[in-house]
Amino acid sequence: MSRLMIPRRRFLAGSLASAAIAAPFGIVRGAPVTFAADPYTLGVASGCPRENSVILWTRLAPQPLEEGGMPPAPVEVEWQVAEDEGFARIAAKGVARATVELAHSVHAEVDGLRPGRVYWYRFRAGSAMSPIGRTRTAPARGNSRFRFAFASCQQYEQGYFAAYRDMAARDLDLVVHLGDYIYEKSWGWRHVRQHGVGIPTTLPEFRNRYALYKTDADLQAAHAAFPWLSIWDDHEVADDYANDRSYTTRDPEQFLKVRAAAYQAYYEHMPLPLSARPIGPNATIYEHYRFGDMLDMLLLDDRQYRSAPACVNGGRPTTVPDCAERTGEMRTMLGRSQEQWLDARLGAQNGRWTMVAQQTLMAEARHREAEGGDCYWMDGWDGYPNARRRLLDSIVTHNVRNPVVIGGDRHAYYAADLKRDFSRPQDPTIATEFVGTSITSDGPSEGSIRNALENNPELIYARGDKRGYAVVELDDQTCTVGFEALDDVKDARSEVRRLATFVVEDGVPGVKVG
């Protein structure tokens, strides 16, 4: 058997680089495993942190853009978690089996850890050692501060992932990704790099698309620096799809085959628990995470279960004039089961802050036509106003403490006050909302943003010309949100600067300019 060849290892910048001389693993198990190239081309990641557990992820892919380049045989992959970056104090270790059925990805569910502390982790297959990642468990109680970033919408061709380079250097406890981790289609202008192939519809094609995105060094650095929580939006499958309906694949049976492949590839490439593994075209990603006394995080799925879009006769759900169908009482974004689950979870929250993490803008964004008519964007919450009302009613019914909604999808920054009835701006504010812009994806026109601000008084702030992400810092008194913006998304080394800062005070819903 030929000797394993490993190119230069990729380590996190700064202090983690010293771990390159860390103590070795134990004795190699079974027959020697060799690779003709580095099998860790897609990096390492962690996610879904709880008080005593975390998910560790990697995927063996020596030829990442050729379906991974692995033989069909399973491979035993050892993992270690340490209390120190030199791996002198091992906290947990084990062996995961990487199989061809899951594209030789690894999802190691590590438990028995201590709450609220930093750990370092790594993998080994044969004698091939992975880069070292850093993660953090959720605090159990008594935490006086919590800091996380949220991001979305990273079209590979439209810009570089410089926002992730900046994010990886921050002092964060968590990253929350709100969807459009990949894009299935090519669009936009001034591309700086290429997908190189067409729209994926099969499992091998979706695997290659994820591999292309995950070869990006800045994205890998952000994954290796912090645990992530992740939900999908539409472009992980198909633009603007709703449940089993897609304007791009009209046959629902055929579309569900595409959705099954897309959901499978998503699971294979994200640090998700076994409970999120798809069964055919179905997967459960909505979930609740608690971070000590400070934060309850509720992750939602507004794609898989939603009603078909209104007012478009089966076409693409764009911004169109209102119709009676839009306000149907039974129309749903979340589906009955998820709505019931969310209501129950909102009734059981005990953190100082409750974050509802979902995909898009929840506040109304009515568009006023020149002739005076109102139009609504049918792919967002405006296309499902009674579903939105039910969610906000649930917040009021359960007297949820400090509810804050976060979202993405719109490729623009928004800060908004959420009302039960947006036609009555004088009514009390129920919750506060912040939407982050895209990591790279092209934003809306200046005219569109201006129209939204002029016709929707609950929108306190909107800006669509910048790419970046958002940072949230929580303490006993305030939720502080910073919009972090790239100077130029077309520059791989672009600087990032604070664009705007907002504050929500404990017990006082609504946006205040910081």
Side-chain angles (χ1 to χ4, degrees):
M1 236 175 235
S2 62
R3 187 172 178 174
L4 173 67
M5 296 177 287
I6 308 175
R8 178 180 59 86
R9 290 196 181 105
R10 303 167 306 282
F11 290 95
L12 288 174
S15 64
L16 293 188
S18 63
I21 56 173
F25 278 82
I27 298 172
V28 177
R29 296 167 175 263
V33 179
T34 61
F35 302 93
D38 178 14
Y40 302 105
T41 56
L42 308 183
V44 299
S46 69
C48 305
R50 300 196 184 274
E51 292 177 11
N52 65 348
S53 67
V54 71
I55 306 297
L56 304 181
W57 175 92
T58 193
R59 179 188 168 201
L60 304 179
Q63 296 175 312
L65 304 184
E66 300 175 21
E67 298 183 43
M70 289 289 293
V75 177
E76 287 192 335
V77 181
E78 297 177 88
W79 54 265
Q80 285 183 335
V81 177
E83 296 179 353
D84 65 302
E85 54 190 302
F87 283 79
R89 301 188 303 277
I90 302 299
K93 60 183 178 179
V95 178
R97 192 174 176 85
T99 65
V100 69
E101 289 78 14
L102 291 178
H104 289 94
S105 63
V106 173
H107 299 76
E109 303 200 16
V110 184
D111 57 17
L113 303 178
R114 293 160 57 189
R117 67 158 298 144
V118 172
Y119 289 95
W120 286 261
Y121 63 94
R122 62 184 180 179
F123 300 90
R124 186 179 70 176
S127 57
M129 196 84 75
S130 76
I132 291 170
R134 179 181 60 203
T135 192
R136 184 189 296 266
T137 50
R141 63 185 67 86
N143 54 320
S144 60
R145 169 189 172 277
F146 194 83
R147 201 161 186 253
F148 71 93
F150 65 91
S152 63
C153 304
Q154 51 201 52
Q155 214 282 356
Y156 180 85
E157 300 170 309
Q158 292 176 8
Y160 295 105
F161 293 165
Y164 283 126
R165 185 196 71 245
D166 181 81
M167 188 188 295
R170 302 268 179 154
D171 177 20
L172 301 173
D173 299 297
L174 180 73
V175 172
V176 181
H177 197 279
L178 300 175
D180 293 345
Y181 189 92
I182 64 163
Y183 275 70
E184 86 292 9
K185 66 178 184 178
S186 177
W187 61 283
W189 63 292
R190 289 181 59 207
H191 289 175
V192 298
R193 47 191 181 176
Q194 303 295 323
H195 283 154
V197 294
I199 295 175
T201 59
T202 66
L203 181 54
E205 291 168 347
F206 277 111
R207 285 170 171 169
N208 285 346
R209 184 59 51 88
Y210 277 96
L212 175 66
Y213 280 53
K214 293 183 82 72
T215 54
D216 185 277
D218 293 330
L219 178 57
Q220 286 191 21
H223 270 299
F226 318 108
W228 282 40
L229 296 176
S230 305
I231 52 178
W232 53 47
D233 193 19
D234 56 333
H235 287 289
E236 288 89 350
V237 183
D239 182 38
D240 293 347
Y241 83 94
N243 198 323
D244 63 349
R245 307 295 179 92
S246 170
Y247 76 90
T248 60
T249 305
R250 295 301 183 118
D251 178 6
E253 183 177 351
Q254 181 60 34
F255 175 70
L256 286 178
K257 293 178 181 178
V258 175
R259 197 177 90 176
Y263 283 7
Q264 174 80 7
Y266 183 84
Y267 175 78
E268 292 171 350
H269 290 87
M270 303 300 286
L272 295 169
L274 182 62
S275 60
R277 182 174 176 177
I279 300 175
N282 305 305
T284 302
I285 63 166
Y286 60 86
E287 188 54 281
H288 165 243
Y289 290 86
R290 177 165 290 159
F291 296 92
D293 303 325
M294 188 62 62
L295 172 64
D296 283 289
M297 182 77 73
L298 296 162
L299 304 177
L300 303 186
D301 178 357
D302 77 5
R303 282 288 165 191
Q304 188 174 179
Y305 315 105
R306 65 164 65 184
S307 303
C311 311
V312 295
N313 296 318
R316 185 180 182 185
T318 56
T319 300
V320 299
D322 201 4
C323 73
E325 182 186 7
R326 184 180 75 93
T327 55
E329 178 61 33
M330 299 309 295
R331 290 179 53 71
T332 180
M333 279 279 269
L334 305 178
R336 181 179 297 274
S337 293
Q338 188 179 186
E339 282 194 21
Q340 292 173 345
W341 170 87
L342 177 60
D343 181 71
R345 294 312 315 173
L346 288 171
Q349 302 311 292
N350 60 9
R352 185 173 295 271
W353 301 91
T354 297
M355 293 279 167
V356 178
Q358 47 84 61
Q359 287 77 1
T360 189
L361 175 68
M362 189 172 288
E364 187 171 87
R366 182 178 67 257
H367 183 84
R368 179 62 55 87
E369 292 295 305
E371 59 273 16
D374 288 336
C375 293
Y376 296 91
W377 184 51
M378 296 302 168
D379 192 54
W381 285 97
D382 280 352
Y384 305 81
N386 284 317
R388 175 174 57 200
R389 190 211 73 236
R390 290 193 295 272
L391 189 156
L392 295 173
D393 282 350
S394 184
I395 288 174
V396 172
T397 297
H398 297 298
N399 195 26
V400 175
R401 185 175 184 179
N402 295 325
V404 178
V405 175
I406 58 174
D409 182 47
R410 300 307 305 269
H411 309 173
Y413 292 109
Y414 290 92
D417 295 341
L418 295 179
K419 312 277 186 176
R420 184 182 187 277
D421 183 352
F422 289 99
S423 68
R424 296 174 55 83
Q426 71 274 17
D427 282 0
T429 296
I430 293 172
T432 316
E433 179 176 25
F434 298 99
V435 172
T437 191
S438 56
I439 290 287
T440 58
S441 304
D442 290 347
S445 68
E446 181 181 350
S448 174
I449 292 292
R450 186 170 56 251
N451 192 305
L453 285 171
E454 289 173 352
N455 294 292
N456 300 278
E458 71 279 0
L459 296 180
I460 309 303
Y461 178 94
R463 184 164 175 179
D465 63 325
K466 288 292 186 178
R467 316 276 67 81
Y469 65 102
V471 172
V472 180
E473 185 164 358
L474 305 171
D475 60 31
D476 289 344
Q477 299 300 317
T478 58
C479 164
T480 303
V481 178
F483 289 162
E484 311 291 347
L486 289 163
D487 288 343
D488 182 5
V489 73
K490 310 297 184 182
D491 177 5
R493 306 307 301 171
S494 175
E495 295 297 319
V496 174
R497 306 176 198 278
R498 175 66 60 91
L499 190 66
T501 303
F502 305 94
V503 172
V504 184
E505 297 175 352
D506 179 30
V508 186
V511 177
K512 292 181 173 62
V513 178

